[in-house]
Amino acid sequence: MTAQERSVLTAIAVLVLSLFTGAGAASAGTLDVSPPGANDWGCKPAAAHPYPVVLVPGTFENMAKNWSTLSPVLKSEGHCVFALNYGEANGIDASGPIADSAKELASFVDAVLAATQARQVDLVGHSQGGMMPRYYMGFLGGAKKVHHLVGISPSNHGTEGLILPPPEDAPSQMQLFEPFCQACADQEAGSAFLTGLNSIGDTVKGPAYTVISTVHDEVVTPYQSQFLSGSAEQVTNITLQNRCPLDLFEHDQTPNDPVVHQWVLNALKQASGPADPGFRPVCL
């Protein structure tokens, strides 16, 4: 690839990043606002829902946008709900190095446990937010503090590209984002970060894992890369269209899918283990 071609691709990457940030989904300074139902620091978990739920947004996202529909659903079902922003870099949420973001999550979980006096939390994350907690659990001692990790379209094994896999021998789209978004580079399939993360296996002892994916995912591709390996007692991998073939939700909007909400609620009601793979949600 010539220097001119690389320059053009870099300019395209900058343009795409500006579209993300210009859409209002990434400004850390202006959207440090809790979604409805979240961050009531006086909430005490009831016996029916003993684990506070921590909502973890995805790349370029903030808690207000990512969880505007799921948070109030969880609150209405009696859960204590908490949410955070993390990973701010260059004024953009969830774009910094993922290992550093995991440390922010660790501090937030500690604050939630101290406020609620709960023993563990349930984590529900979208995209990067569904994968990053695995670093917290596997490398920062978080496993003993997490009861269940529910990943919605999580980037567990990375993506082959933002939209399509890059041409052979060309720099990947993710690499072009690296100067502006280390989290993007970290989520490229085969990245040093993901190689390290998955070197200890897809799961660690203790927490349950539920993965919720859509065949229409155009960001974390292929969508099957989101799935985790593990026993049925610890891991449930869900493809939305296996139960609801006409579900058209794609990557960005999966947290707003009422069918996803049903799966999340099913996962969170399990006393131990992941979501019930035999559960049949109401298709819309």
Side-chain angles (χ1 to χ4, degrees):
M1 172 170 287
T2 68
Q4 182 178 9
E5 289 171 329
R6 184 173 181 83
S7 176
V8 170
L9 285 175
T10 302
I12 293 172
V14 174
L15 175 60
V16 173
L17 181 59
S18 71
L19 292 176
F20 271 108
T21 60
S27 176
T30 59
L31 285 175
D32 191 15
V33 176
S34 298
N39 294 334
D40 173 4
W41 291 92
C43 187
K44 300 299 181 185
H49 303 295
Y51 307 106
V53 179
V54 175
L55 302 175
V56 189
T59 308
F60 301 140
E61 296 283 7
N62 54 71
M63 57 182 168
K65 177 180 181 294
N66 227 162
W67 306 116
S68 62
T69 60
L70 180 58
S71 179
V73 167
L74 295 174
K75 184 69 171 180
S76 70
E77 292 291 327
H79 293 275
C80 288
V81 183
F82 297 86
L84 76 158
N85 292 332
Y86 67 87
E88 179 185 350
N90 302 311
I92 308 303
D93 281 318
S95 63
I98 295 178
D100 293 344
S101 294
K103 296 176 183 177
E104 295 184 53
L105 176 62
S107 296
F108 190 81
V109 168
D110 285 347
V112 169
L113 293 177
T116 60
Q117 296 300 297
R119 182 173 58 89
Q120 293 178 308
V121 300
D122 287 327
L123 300 176
V124 178
H126 176 231
S127 195
Q128 179 190 163
M131 172 272 291
M132 176 267 281
R134 292 178 50 226
Y135 188 92
Y136 161 59
M137 294 189 292
F139 293 89
L140 301 179
K144 62 182 180 292
K145 301 178 183 181
V146 177
H147 171 253
H148 199 154
L149 170 61
V150 182
I152 302 171
S153 302
S155 51
N156 282 317
H157 298 98
T159 178
E160 293 183 358
L162 286 176
I163 303 298
L164 296 171
E168 187 176 0
D169 299 325
S172 76
Q173 293 165 327
M174 287 300 195
Q175 288 171 330
L176 294 173
F177 273 97
E178 188 168 1
F180 316 101
C181 175
Q182 181 60 48
C184 299
D186 285 348
Q187 290 175 91
E188 181 183 14
S191 71
F193 172 80
L194 287 171
T195 299
L197 172 65
N198 293 314
S199 67
I200 60 173
D202 283 5
T203 65
V204 293
K205 184 178 179 180
Y209 298 79
T210 296
V211 175
I212 305 170
S213 302
T214 172
V215 300
H216 302 297
D217 200 309
E218 79 290 12
V219 175
V220 180
T221 58
Y223 76 90
Q224 296 94 334
S225 69
Q226 301 167 21
F227 297 154
L228 296 172
S229 297
S231 69
E233 290 73 27
Q234 190 180 22
V235 177
T236 295
N237 294 307
I238 298 157
T239 301
L240 291 171
Q241 288 73 23
N242 285 350
R243 289 285 186 266
C244 298
L246 300 182
D247 191 319
L248 297 179
F249 277 79
E250 39 68 53
H251 181 88
D252 181 64
Q253 291 300 313
T254 43
N256 298 320
D257 183 353
V259 176
V260 170
H261 295 177
Q262 294 175 63
W263 276 110
V264 171
L265 289 170
N266 179 270
L268 296 180
K269 79 174 186 179
Q270 307 301 322
S272 63
D276 176 7
F279 173 66
R280 292 190 173 276
V282 176
C283 300
L284 302 177

